[in-house]
Amino acid sequence: MEERKWEELNMDILVNVFGRVGMESLLLDVPFVCKPWYKASREPQCWGHLIFPEYIKPDDIWEEDSPDRGFAERLVTTYQENLSVTAFMKFIVNRSCGCATIIKVPKHCTEEALEYIANECPRLKVLDVGLYNFSMEDIIPKFVSKWKSLEMMRLGKFHMKSVLPQIGLHCNNFIWLSAPYTYIQKDEALVMVASLPKLKCLDLHGATFEKEALVMILQGCKQLVHLDIRDCWGFRGDDAEILELASHIPSFMCEGSNIGLGALSPPVYNLEADHELFCDKIHHDDCVYDFDFDFDFDDLLI
């Protein structure tokens, strides 16, 4: 049987494959193989999941072994230009032609870039702003109303009280919140309970709690089916009251949590691993979710 050549594959197959290879390969490898691959790489469906590297400009990278250094340097070499973060983000968003459903923004994301995403990505379902994008705190609430289809978000330490009310007001399908290593006091818990009564999945691993705040969340978010509060400070993982209040949650994780800082070793912040955990919750096809616990996730979408 005569072998088929890769460049002769059906366009739909190529697009399906290239949509899974990641931003670096899709931008800097695939288009230079052959003309059919170049043509396929320009299809908007390849750009539905925009996982930007943490750093885009080589000058912003301090660590020599940063996983983003190679991408940033290749970008400059290939395009013979040190693009600004805003210019690069607009360039990539334009490739999606409004098809993007998942976006992770880089560090140093600007208000201009986020506003561009808000205007050009109306189908957005998943947004990850990272843990330490401090400049996003006052910006995100301005644009949440644009993302009517938003279902999942990963926030940093200082966004909760300003962002969650806007999500509750504009995003009727929102079910999944990730805010690891944040500070959860009674004010944050009150906002969460009031804004997201239909929340089903909540990841707060590594957070620092007031115990009363955790009790408020457990009593107020009655539809939770997944709660991750591992390695937290402010309560014991074997607290009888907490375990009783969480007994109805199919997937409840609280291992490693304790009352005081002195009883625990300092937390290790592995942002790359955290983001991989976040993305593991997302099945690639049309943002259908795939959780590690055993239940029919279709029930979440009813």
Side-chain angles (χ1 to χ4, degrees), residues 1-254:
M1 182 180 297
E2 184 180 355
E3 292 186 0
R4 293 188 62 186
K5 298 180 180 180
W6 274 93
E7 60 267 27
E8 295 176 352
L9 283 176
N10 179 278
M11 180 64 71
D12 291 340
I13 296 176
L14 289 175
V15 169
N16 188 287
V17 171
F18 294 159
R20 302 168 186 262
V21 300
M23 188 176 293
E24 180 175 0
S25 291
L26 189 57
L27 189 63
L28 301 177
D29 295 318
V30 170
F32 301 100
V33 173
C34 59
K35 289 182 178 180
W37 283 28
Y38 168 79
K39 182 178 180 181
S41 73
R42 298 300 300 267
E43 290 293 318
Q45 290 78 9
C46 291
W47 301 89
H49 296 184
L50 306 182
I51 309 301
F52 287 94
E54 189 172 3
Y55 296 102
I56 291 171
K57 300 180 65 176
D59 294 344
D60 293 333
I61 302 175
W62 291 77
E63 301 88 353
E64 287 297 327
D65 59 348
S66 169
D68 296 329
R69 179 171 293 279
F71 184 9
E73 292 178 346
R74 289 185 66 198
L75 193 63
V76 173
T77 301
T78 302
Y79 288 93
Q80 299 297 311
E81 185 177 0
N82 194 355
L83 294 173
S84 70
V85 173
T86 299
F88 179 73
M89 291 183 68
K90 287 184 175 182
F91 170 69
I92 294 297
V93 168
N94 286 338
R95 290 285 181 96
S96 74
C97 296
C99 290
T101 57
I102 299 175
I103 295 180
K104 174 186 179 291
V105 303
K107 279 190 175 180
H108 310 301
C109 176
T110 63
E111 180 172 357
E112 182 182 350
L114 197 64
E115 182 176 13
Y116 197 76
I117 289 173
N119 291 328
E120 300 298 326
C121 302
R123 303 181 188 178
L124 191 66
K125 293 185 177 183
V126 180
L127 178 64
D128 183 352
V129 299
L131 298 183
Y132 297 104
N133 264 339
F134 302 129
S135 62
M136 295 291 99
E137 179 178 5
D138 297 323
I139 298 174
I140 294 175
K142 299 179 183 179
F143 305 126
V144 169
S145 62
K146 301 275 189 176
W147 297 313
K148 304 294 186 183
S149 299
L150 193 68
E151 299 177 9
M152 301 173 64
M153 181 180 281
R154 184 173 186 254
L155 291 169
K157 290 186 176 183
F158 306 106
H159 303 94
M160 199 165 295
K161 288 192 290 185
S162 59
V163 175
L164 297 191
Q166 294 300 312
I167 292 176
L169 184 62
H170 299 288
C171 309
N172 294 331
N173 297 322
F174 194 86
I175 58 171
W176 203 98
L177 175 66
S178 175
Y181 308 117
T182 193
Y183 303 111
I184 308 294
Q185 298 177 319
K186 285 181 282 188
D187 286 348
E188 285 79 11
L190 183 62
V191 168
M192 187 182 302
V193 170
S195 304
L196 307 176
K198 298 179 181 179
L199 193 66
K200 296 184 181 293
C201 303
L202 180 60
D203 176 9
L204 298 173
H205 73 271
T208 299
F209 277 92
E210 289 182 356
K211 180 185 172 182
E212 293 84 355
L214 178 56
V215 170
M216 290 172 63
I217 292 171
L218 289 169
Q219 291 177 334
C221 296
K222 299 182 182 300
Q223 297 189 34
L224 283 176
V225 295
H226 173 72
L227 176 60
D228 185 350
I229 49 173
R230 292 172 295 173
D231 300 319
C232 292
W233 291 341
F235 66 94
R236 294 179 60 88
D238 59 357
D239 185 290
E241 181 183 11
I242 299 299
L243 294 176
E244 174 63 25
L245 289 171
S247 60
H248 68 286
I249 302 175
S251 174
F252 174 67
M253 298 179 286
C254 61

Side-chain angles (χ1 to χ4, degrees), residues 257-274:
S257 294
N258 215 320
I259 292 177
L261 304 185
L264 294 174
S265 59
V268 177
Y269 301 113
N270 187 335
L271 303 189
E272 183 178 357
D274 286 340

Side-chain angles (χ1 to χ4, degrees), residues 152 176 200-203 205 225-228 230 249-253 273-283 288-298 300:
M152 301 173 64
W176 203 98
K200 296 184 181 293
C201 303
L202 180 60
D203 176 9
H205 73 271
V225 295
H226 173 72
L227 176 60
D228 185 350
R230 292 172 295 173
I249 302 175
S251 174
F252 174 67
M253 298 179 286
D274 286 340
H275 184 255
E276 288 176 358
L277 287 172
F278 178 75
C279 288
D280 281 346
K281 304 293 191 278
I282 306 166
H283 189 278
V288 176
Y289 308 108
D290 179 18
F291 289 85
D292 295 331
F293 45 100
D294 185 19
F295 73 96
D296 186 357
F297 200 83
D298 288 341
L300 299 184

